[in-house]
Amino acid sequence: MEVHHNVSINKIAWLKIPNPGVIKNLFIPENRAELEELCCKLYSEKKQFDVIGHTSNILYYSTYNPENVVSTRKVNFYSVHDNVIECDCGVNVSKLSREMVEFGFEGFEGLIDLPGTIGAAIFGNAGCYDCSITSLLEYCELLRPDGTIVRLSKDDLELSKRSTVLKRKEVDGIILFAFLSKRKGDPTKLQAVADINRQRRRITQPGPAKNLGSDFASVGKVTLKYRILMLLCRVYYLLYYLKIHLTRRQITSFILKIVGHRELIPYLEWGWNRFIWKDDSAFVLFNAYKKLYLSFFQNDRLEIIEKK
Ligand SMILES: Cc1cc2nc3c(=O)[nH]c(=O)nc-3n(C[C@H](O)[C@H](O)[C@H](O)COP(=O)(O)OP(=O)(O)OC[C@H]3O[C@@H](n4cnc5c(N)ncnc54)[C@H](O)[C@@H]3O)c2cc1C
């Protein structure tokens, strides 16, 4: 197993940050047995540790200096059995999905460009284009802090939008591996759907760099304040440009100007729920963005995980 000491957070962070903190011990196990043994040891010694996949859903702050971090990225073996697909927690979701689409297995055609690992996709109930790893899940095995291993089904995870009992911290543990269902479909049709989904993502979303996917889980209620601002926005463009269909960029920049947050415009070019950390100032402005977002979309919750 690789072990590194005193490494910069930016060595593992998807989103590189200015003035990164330092990880005292970074463990990179090579396989499931090593991961299990390491986590059992850390648990039994009552050591605090973070388990990470590709960190595509984690925002690190420069004040964060973790003692122990365990990366699952090399725990990435998978095999196709008669009725199921067995995946280690560190299997790359997009790579697996592309291969499963080629083999003609249903349920992966929306996931070919979803960043991250199988373990994290289960942890956070990640998904897109009508597909998710949890909808394919037969069961996964979870290593509990007391060293026992329990089997969790989809029902045990108590799924909600981009959340599970694990993400809500109602249950603690490390997902070691998962069995996914294998449903035979038509490879040509599945590939065609996958290609359409890829195209949709390319048109409607920014590239993978400098963002962490949707910032919020989008379960919030649109506030009256936001409705009024939208109305003003439509009237403005109708009167001055006779444009009936407004782009996300037009709406956000108009509203940001009205509410006195012009400085956020460059970071919200892809809409309210996709903050782009395009420069160092973004890390300072992110808090103002969160406050403003929650004043528009009540009771929403942050989808990304903040490490402060
Ligand atoms: C450009 C971009 C686009 C995205 N698009 C989407 C999208 O369309 N839909 C969507 O749902 N998400 C999307 N995301 C978010 C991200 O892809 C998912 O949240 C993904 O599941 C995170 O995987 P990861 O391996 O990077 O997890 P990490 O960010 O490393 O970890 C996320 C959380 O999972 C926990 N975790 C990781 N592995 C395990 C394990 N084995 N056991 C227990 N806990 C674990 C970590 O402790 C952490 O709390 C996007 C992100 C980016 C950057």
Side-chain angles (χ1 to χ4, degrees):
M1 166 170 34
E2 272 181 56
V3 184
H4 303 270
H5 301 289
N6 301 319
V7 291
S8 160
I9 283 275
N10 278 350
K11 185 174 164 67
I12 49 109
W14 180 283
L15 185 71
K16 307 296 176 211
I17 61 168
N19 308 315
V22 172
I23 304 169
K24 195 161 178 209
N25 307 303
L26 170 64
F27 302 95
I28 311 179
E30 309 269 339
N31 54 49
R32 196 193 299 172
E34 273 190 8
L35 172 70
E36 187 181 330
E37 194 185 338
L38 169 69
C39 294
C40 275
K41 186 167 177 289
L42 292 168
Y43 275 140
S44 70
E45 290 171 359
K46 304 260 178 290
K47 294 244 170 82
Q48 188 69 34
F49 67 99
D50 291 346
V51 63
I52 55 163
H54 295 166
T55 70
S56 64
N57 209 214
I58 300 178
L59 173 60
Y60 288 105
Y61 284 75
S62 50
T63 46
Y64 192 64
N65 296 288
E67 181 94 358
N68 300 299
V69 173
V70 178
S71 166
T72 65
R73 72 181 149 89
K74 287 195 174 172
V75 185
N76 58 6
F77 178 76
Y78 79 86
S79 54
V80 179
H81 301 294
D82 285 348
N83 300 314
V84 285
I85 303 151
E86 180 180 356
C87 300
D88 281 349
C89 60
V91 166
N92 180 317
V93 172
S94 62
K95 185 169 177 286
L96 174 80
S97 301
R98 273 179 244 142
E99 288 174 14
M100 294 304 108
V101 167
E102 265 175 42
F103 288 150
F105 299 137
E106 286 176 354
F108 294 90
E109 58 280 9
L111 306 174
I112 53 160
D113 287 317
L114 179 68
T117 54
I118 291 287
I122 296 171
F123 172 93
N125 191 17
C128 39
Y129 305 119
D130 299 327
C131 294
S132 64
I133 292 297
T134 50
S135 67
L136 290 161
L137 187 70
E138 296 283 331
Y139 67 86
C140 61
E141 287 206 355
L142 185 81
L143 174 69
R144 303 291 316 273
D146 62 5
T148 56
I149 291 179
V150 290
R151 219 168 241 207
L152 294 183
S153 68
K154 216 180 309 198
D155 289 345
D156 298 324
L157 288 168
E158 294 177 25
L159 305 174
S160 60
K161 180 93 191 280
R162 301 284 172 269
S163 192
T164 61
V165 283
L166 297 165
K167 186 158 181 180
R168 294 191 294 273
K169 299 190 195 312
E170 292 158 18
V171 172
D172 198 6
I174 311 300
I175 297 164
L176 296 173
F177 69 97
F179 276 107
L180 307 181
S181 49
K182 184 177 141 189
R183 303 177 205 138
K184 193 73 188 131
D186 177 341
T188 317
K189 281 191 189 148
L190 291 174
Q191 190 60 60
V193 178
D195 291 344
I196 291 170
N197 288 333
R198 164 161 293 165
Q199 198 54 23
R200 278 166 74 191
R201 190 178 271 272
R202 285 204 178 141
I203 294 169
T204 59
Q205 296 188 28
K210 297 191 186 290
N211 72 98
L212 295 167
S214 301
D215 303 305
F216 286 84
S218 285
V219 289
K221 221 173 85 191
V222 180
T223 57
L224 184 63
K225 174 179 169 183
Y226 188 72
R227 282 180 209 279
I228 293 170
L229 287 166
M230 271 297 288
L231 193 71
L232 280 175
C233 183
R234 284 188 191 284
V235 171
Y236 171 82
Y237 280 98
L238 264 176
L239 285 179
Y240 291 96
Y241 297 101
L242 289 175
K243 278 187 185 157
I244 291 170
H245 176 75
L246 300 179
T247 63
R248 273 186 302 207
R249 194 176 294 201
Q250 285 170 317
I251 295 171
T252 47
S253 56
F254 177 85
I255 291 178
L256 285 169
K257 279 180 208 160
I258 292 197
V259 295
H261 278 289
R262 200 179 268 270
E263 75 284 5
L264 291 174
I265 293 174
Y267 308 96
L268 293 172
E269 287 172 348
W270 290 88
W272 294 118
N273 203 8
R274 189 61 74 102
F275 192 84
I276 306 289
W277 283 266
K278 55 165 56 179
D279 55 25
D280 288 2
S281 307
F283 293 87
V284 179
L285 292 170
F286 185 66
N287 273 326
Y289 153 70
K290 278 192 297 186
K291 263 195 208 145
L292 186 68
Y293 180 98
L294 289 171
S295 76
F296 292 160
F297 308 102
Q298 218 170 17
N299 300 328
D300 207 342
R301 56 183 161 71
L302 206 57
E303 181 182 329
I304 59 177
I305 293 149
E306 293 182 296
K307 298 276 187 189
K308 295 190 184 187

